[in-house]
Amino acid sequence: MAAFLARRLLYMVPTVFLISLVAFVIIQLPPGDYLTTLVAQYAAQGESLDQAQLDALNQRYGLDDPFYVQYWKWISGILFHLDFGQSFEWSRSVSSLLADRLPLTMALAGLTLLLTWIVAVPLGAYSAVRQYSIGDYLATTIGFLGLATPNFLLALVMLWVAFSTFGLSVGEANPVTFAIAILVLGTAGTAGLIRILRANLLDELRKPYVVAARAQGLPEGRLLVRYPLRVAMNPFFSTIGWLLPSLVGGEVIVATVMNLNTVGPLLLGALRSQDMYLAGSIILILGVLTVVGTLISDIALAWLDPRVRLRYR
């Protein structure tokens, strides 16, 4: 395992570098740049920018520099000074913008993940152990509804219910909208994991080692927790790699609908205005979360499943 972890840590460095490079390239693929968007916004308001102002902004932001110069300026600032650059749209440092948005985003992601696991594990296990019971049909129905209902639609419905039924304030970011956002984001993830755990656990319960353990008189509860449930939990840990960034970046529409000051709407605005340093920094953070999440999932799987540990001896 030590050699495995060392290899994975070495692989992380070029992976993160490639993610940053590809993200920077993709952001610059659309025609024009931030000044093009700015000129269009002024034109829509019946105003204009003269050439002297455009030249001054070009020089200030270095938009006339070659691509590799812009990329090196950005990535070297991050590596040597933890400076993510300056946001064109906000006229603030990217670091300060992320410092304002990341705490709420990480709290939302962490609580959503906790809710997802707390609900999905017992419901998935019950649905498998009590196959074709009323509870199984109920959990299956909830799962399908959760997967089929768009998050933004569920958010709008819950906001309307909170306002019309309970008279709660939902027009701005507050604890009510934050709690609703956790429920909305956790619904789809919970529904999917219930279905996965149910299918895996049903498969494990039919295997010969479970039949042998029952024949030896092992109590059903102990048997379930000690053997088949541990194996069926593998998908929970193996999906941490993509679950972390999806929770941080996947709440764009929900956060926009609910007016939450998280990273998602900030990324959407940066992509629309071609604010390359802000968008590139957020995408880089999502990439790092993916790589780190994958490493955490590998370690968790090795702890959970002895077969994984034996593979790397």
mmCIF file of all heavy atoms in Angstrom, residues 267-286:
data_model
loop_
_atom_site.group_PDB
_atom_site.id
_atom_site.type_symbol
_atom_site.label_atom_id
_atom_site.label_comp_id
_atom_site.label_asym_id
_atom_site.label_seq_id
_atom_site.Cartn_x
_atom_site.Cartn_y
_atom_site.Cartn_z
ATOM 1 N N LEU A 267 -18.759 30.519 -11.049
ATOM 2 C CA LEU A 267 -18.163 29.873 -12.223
ATOM 3 C C LEU A 267 -18.986 30.138 -13.468
ATOM 4 O O LEU A 267 -18.435 30.425 -14.541
ATOM 5 C CB LEU A 267 -18.043 28.363 -11.979
ATOM 6 C CG LEU A 267 -17.566 27.519 -13.160
ATOM 7 C CD1 LEU A 267 -16.188 27.951 -13.632
ATOM 8 C CD2 LEU A 267 -17.565 26.036 -12.791
ATOM 9 N N LEU A 268 -20.306 30.063 -13.359
ATOM 10 C CA LEU A 268 -21.183 30.318 -14.504
ATOM 11 C C LEU A 268 -20.979 31.734 -15.035
ATOM 12 O O LEU A 268 -20.846 31.953 -16.246
ATOM 13 C CB LEU A 268 -22.643 30.102 -14.099
ATOM 14 C CG LEU A 268 -23.695 30.359 -15.182
ATOM 15 C CD1 LEU A 268 -23.490 29.423 -16.359
ATOM 16 C CD2 LEU A 268 -25.095 30.207 -14.614
ATOM 17 N N GLY A 269 -20.956 32.713 -14.144
ATOM 18 C CA GLY A 269 -20.740 34.096 -14.568
ATOM 19 C C GLY A 269 -19.372 34.299 -15.192
ATOM 20 O O GLY A 269 -19.227 35.037 -16.178
ATOM 21 N N ALA A 270 -18.340 33.643 -14.645
ATOM 22 C CA ALA A 270 -16.989 33.783 -15.188
ATOM 23 C C ALA A 270 -16.893 33.192 -16.592
ATOM 24 O O ALA A 270 -16.224 33.756 -17.472
ATOM 25 C CB ALA A 270 -15.990 33.100 -14.257
ATOM 26 N N LEU A 271 -17.560 32.072 -16.832
ATOM 27 C CA LEU A 271 -17.533 31.463 -18.163
ATOM 28 C C LEU A 271 -18.293 32.324 -19.174
ATOM 29 O O LEU A 271 -17.880 32.452 -20.329
ATOM 30 C CB LEU A 271 -18.129 30.055 -18.102
ATOM 31 C CG LEU A 271 -17.312 29.015 -17.337
ATOM 32 C CD1 LEU A 271 -18.091 27.713 -17.213
ATOM 33 C CD2 LEU A 271 -15.973 28.762 -18.031
ATOM 34 N N ARG A 272 -19.386 32.896 -18.749
ATOM 35 C CA ARG A 272 -20.185 33.734 -19.661
ATOM 36 C C ARG A 272 -19.448 35.009 -20.032
ATOM 37 O O ARG A 272 -19.545 35.486 -21.160
ATOM 38 C CB ARG A 272 -21.524 34.062 -19.022
ATOM 39 C CG ARG A 272 -22.442 32.855 -18.846
ATOM 40 C CD ARG A 272 -23.718 33.215 -18.130
ATOM 41 N NE ARG A 272 -24.506 34.190 -18.870
ATOM 42 C CZ ARG A 272 -25.638 34.731 -18.422
ATOM 43 N NH1 ARG A 272 -26.083 34.386 -17.226
ATOM 44 N NH2 ARG A 272 -26.290 35.597 -19.143
ATOM 45 N N SER A 273 -18.690 35.581 -19.091
ATOM 46 C CA SER A 273 -17.981 36.828 -19.370
ATOM 47 C C SER A 273 -16.539 36.595 -19.820
ATOM 48 O O SER A 273 -15.812 37.556 -20.042
ATOM 49 C CB SER A 273 -17.983 37.714 -18.118
ATOM 50 O OG SER A 273 -17.264 37.089 -17.063
ATOM 51 N N GLN A 274 -16.133 35.305 -19.929
ATOM 52 C CA GLN A 274 -14.762 34.949 -20.315
ATOM 53 C C GLN A 274 -13.734 35.549 -19.354
ATOM 54 O O GLN A 274 -12.679 36.038 -19.762
ATOM 55 C CB GLN A 274 -14.467 35.364 -21.754
ATOM 56 C CG GLN A 274 -15.282 34.590 -22.785
ATOM 57 C CD GLN A 274 -14.921 34.952 -24.217
ATOM 58 O OE1 GLN A 274 -15.476 35.885 -24.773
ATOM 59 N NE2 GLN A 274 -13.990 34.224 -24.792
ATOM 60 N N ASP A 275 -14.076 35.508 -18.089
ATOM 61 C CA ASP A 275 -13.155 35.932 -17.025
ATOM 62 C C ASP A 275 -12.197 34.769 -16.771
ATOM 63 O O ASP A 275 -12.419 33.945 -15.888
ATOM 64 C CB ASP A 275 -13.955 36.281 -15.770
ATOM 65 C CG ASP A 275 -13.142 37.019 -14.739
ATOM 66 O OD1 ASP A 275 -11.903 37.010 -14.857
ATOM 67 O OD2 ASP A 275 -13.728 37.604 -13.816
ATOM 68 N N MET A 276 -11.112 34.705 -17.544
ATOM 69 C CA MET A 276 -10.325 33.479 -17.657
ATOM 70 C C MET A 276 -9.620 33.089 -16.361
ATOM 71 O O MET A 276 -9.532 31.902 -16.032
ATOM 72 C CB MET A 276 -9.307 33.598 -18.794
ATOM 73 C CG MET A 276 -8.317 34.723 -18.659
ATOM 74 S SD MET A 276 -7.254 34.828 -20.105
ATOM 75 C CE MET A 276 -6.177 36.177 -19.626
ATOM 76 N N TYR A 277 -9.105 34.054 -15.607
ATOM 77 C CA TYR A 277 -8.395 33.699 -14.382
ATOM 78 C C TYR A 277 -9.356 33.165 -13.314
ATOM 79 O O TYR A 277 -9.026 32.214 -12.602
ATOM 80 C CB TYR A 277 -7.630 34.909 -13.843
ATOM 81 C CG TYR A 277 -6.491 35.334 -14.731
ATOM 82 C CD1 TYR A 277 -6.297 36.668 -15.071
ATOM 83 C CD2 TYR A 277 -5.609 34.397 -15.267
ATOM 84 C CE1 TYR A 277 -5.248 37.055 -15.903
ATOM 85 C CE2 TYR A 277 -4.562 34.773 -16.097
ATOM 86 C CZ TYR A 277 -4.387 36.111 -16.411
ATOM 87 O OH TYR A 277 -3.363 36.477 -17.237
ATOM 88 N N LEU A 278 -10.528 33.757 -13.211
ATOM 89 C CA LEU A 278 -11.514 33.279 -12.243
ATOM 90 C C LEU A 278 -12.049 31.912 -12.647
ATOM 91 O O LEU A 278 -12.084 30.978 -11.832
ATOM 92 C CB LEU A 278 -12.653 34.292 -12.122
ATOM 93 C CG LEU A 278 -13.797 33.920 -11.171
ATOM 94 C CD1 LEU A 278 -13.280 33.653 -9.769
ATOM 95 C CD2 LEU A 278 -14.863 35.017 -11.151
ATOM 96 N N ALA A 279 -12.461 31.758 -13.899
ATOM 97 C CA ALA A 279 -12.988 30.476 -14.360
ATOM 98 C C ALA A 279 -11.924 29.387 -14.294
ATOM 99 O O ALA A 279 -12.189 28.259 -13.842
ATOM 100 C CB ALA A 279 -13.517 30.622 -15.786
ATOM 101 N N GLY A 280 -10.702 29.718 -14.744
ATOM 102 C CA GLY A 280 -9.630 28.730 -14.718
ATOM 103 C C GLY A 280 -9.296 28.279 -13.312
ATOM 104 O O GLY A 280 -9.033 27.093 -13.065
ATOM 105 N N SER A 281 -9.318 29.198 -12.355
ATOM 106 C CA SER A 281 -8.999 28.852 -10.969
ATOM 107 C C SER A 281 -10.055 27.921 -10.375
ATOM 108 O O SER A 281 -9.721 26.956 -9.669
ATOM 109 C CB SER A 281 -8.883 30.125 -10.128
ATOM 110 O OG SER A 281 -7.837 30.944 -10.593
ATOM 111 N N ILE A 282 -11.325 28.200 -10.657
ATOM 112 C CA ILE A 282 -12.394 27.349 -10.118
ATOM 113 C C ILE A 282 -12.325 25.952 -10.739
ATOM 114 O O ILE A 282 -12.454 24.940 -10.043
ATOM 115 C CB ILE A 282 -13.772 27.985 -10.357
ATOM 116 C CG1 ILE A 282 -13.888 29.305 -9.589
ATOM 117 C CG2 ILE A 282 -14.887 27.036 -9.934
ATOM 118 C CD1 ILE A 282 -15.171 30.064 -9.849
ATOM 119 N N ILE A 283 -12.091 25.895 -12.055
ATOM 120 C CA ILE A 283 -11.977 24.589 -12.714
ATOM 121 C C ILE A 283 -10.764 23.825 -12.191
ATOM 122 O O ILE A 283 -10.812 22.598 -12.005
ATOM 123 C CB ILE A 283 -11.890 24.770 -14.243
ATOM 124 C CG1 ILE A 283 -13.211 25.329 -14.769
ATOM 125 C CG2 ILE A 283 -11.561 23.450 -14.932
ATOM 126 C CD1 ILE A 283 -13.190 25.680 -16.232
ATOM 127 N N LEU A 284 -9.667 24.536 -11.931
ATOM 128 C CA LEU A 284 -8.486 23.890 -11.364
ATOM 129 C C LEU A 284 -8.799 23.308 -9.986
ATOM 130 O O LEU A 284 -8.389 22.180 -9.669
ATOM 131 C CB LEU A 284 -7.349 24.898 -11.267
ATOM 132 C CG LEU A 284 -6.051 24.403 -10.601
ATOM 133 C CD1 LEU A 284 -5.465 23.242 -11.385
ATOM 134 C CD2 LEU A 284 -5.040 25.535 -10.483
ATOM 135 N N ILE A 285 -9.526 24.058 -9.163
ATOM 136 C CA ILE A 285 -9.904 23.559 -7.838
ATOM 137 C C ILE A 285 -10.784 22.313 -7.957
ATOM 138 O O ILE A 285 -10.613 21.333 -7.217
ATOM 139 C CB ILE A 285 -10.622 24.668 -7.039
ATOM 140 C CG1 ILE A 285 -9.629 25.766 -6.667
ATOM 141 C CG2 ILE A 285 -11.279 24.098 -5.780
ATOM 142 C CD1 ILE A 285 -10.268 26.978 -6.027
ATOM 143 N N LEU A 286 -11.724 22.326 -8.904
ATOM 144 C CA LEU A 286 -12.566 21.144 -9.119
ATOM 145 C C LEU A 286 -11.733 19.954 -9.562
ATOM 146 O O LEU A 286 -11.983 18.810 -9.162
ATOM 147 C CB LEU A 286 -13.647 21.458 -10.163
ATOM 148 C CG LEU A 286 -14.696 22.505 -9.765
ATOM 149 C CD1 LEU A 286 -15.660 22.735 -10.912
ATOM 150 C CD2 LEU A 286 -15.440 22.068 -8.520
#
